[in-house]
C-alpha cells in the first residue's frame, strides 16, 4: 500500500463521506448513490479511487456489488501517525 494513494483518496470530501457512510456497515453502489446528489458514474469513480487506495473492499453478490471499509489500512495509517508523533517527542 502506498500512503500517497491513501492520502490522495482521503483528500476529497465526497470520498470521506463515503467512508463515513460505510462505518455503519456495507452498502451496495445504489445505496451509496442515493445518499449523494451525484450521478452513478461519479460515485463509481470515487469508489474506484477508494478501492485502489485499499480503503474499501468490494464483494459481488449476484448482480450487486457491496462495499465495506478496509479497516486494516486505516489501522496502518494510525500506527504510522503514532510512530511519527512518538519520534518527534524526543
Amino acid at each position: 500500500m502506498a500512503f500517497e494513494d491513501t492520502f490522495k483518496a482521503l483528500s476529497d470530501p465526497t470520498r470521506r463521506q463515503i467512508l463515513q457512510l460505510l462505518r455503519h456497515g456495507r452498502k451496495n453502489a445504489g445505496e451509496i448513490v442515493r445518499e449523494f446528489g451525484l450521478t452513478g458514474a461519479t460515485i463509481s469513480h470515487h469508489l474506484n479511487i477508494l478501492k485502489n487506495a485499499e480503503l474499501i473492499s468490494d464483494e459481488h453478490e449476484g448482480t450487486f456489488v457491496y462495499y465495506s471499509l478496509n479497516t486494516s489500512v486505516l489501522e496502518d495509517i494510525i500506527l504510522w501517525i503514532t510512530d511519527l508523533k512518538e519520534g518527534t517527542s524526543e
Side-chain angles (χ1 to χ4, degrees):
M1 170 198 49
F3 281 140
E4 295 84 17
D5 294 337
T6 303
F7 290 122
K8 180 180 176 185
L10 291 172
S11 70
D12 184 89
T14 299
R15 292 192 284 269
R16 291 192 306 268
Q17 289 175 346
I18 291 171
L19 294 175
Q20 286 287 106
L21 180 64
L22 294 176
R23 283 181 51 215
H24 305 291
R26 72 184 195 145
K27 304 263 185 236
N28 67 44
E31 291 170 320
I32 296 169
V33 167
R34 283 191 290 277
E35 294 289 327
F36 298 89
L38 303 170
T39 66
T42 299
I43 293 296
S44 178
H45 172 73
H46 287 299
L47 291 170
N48 282 328
I49 291 172
L50 291 168
K51 269 183 17 181
N52 289 338
E54 299 179 6
L55 289 165
I56 63 172
S57 58
D58 62 349
E59 183 178 350
H60 296 262
E61 288 185 17
T63 59
F64 293 97
V65 178
Y66 287 90
Y67 296 91
S68 57
L69 284 178
N70 181 359
T71 55
S72 64
V73 170
L74 298 171
E75 289 168 358
D76 288 345
I77 292 170
I78 291 168
L79 288 173
W80 179 75
I81 291 171
T82 302
D83 287 346
L84 282 178
K85 183 179 177 187
E86 290 173 0
T88 60
S89 63
E90 297 176 0

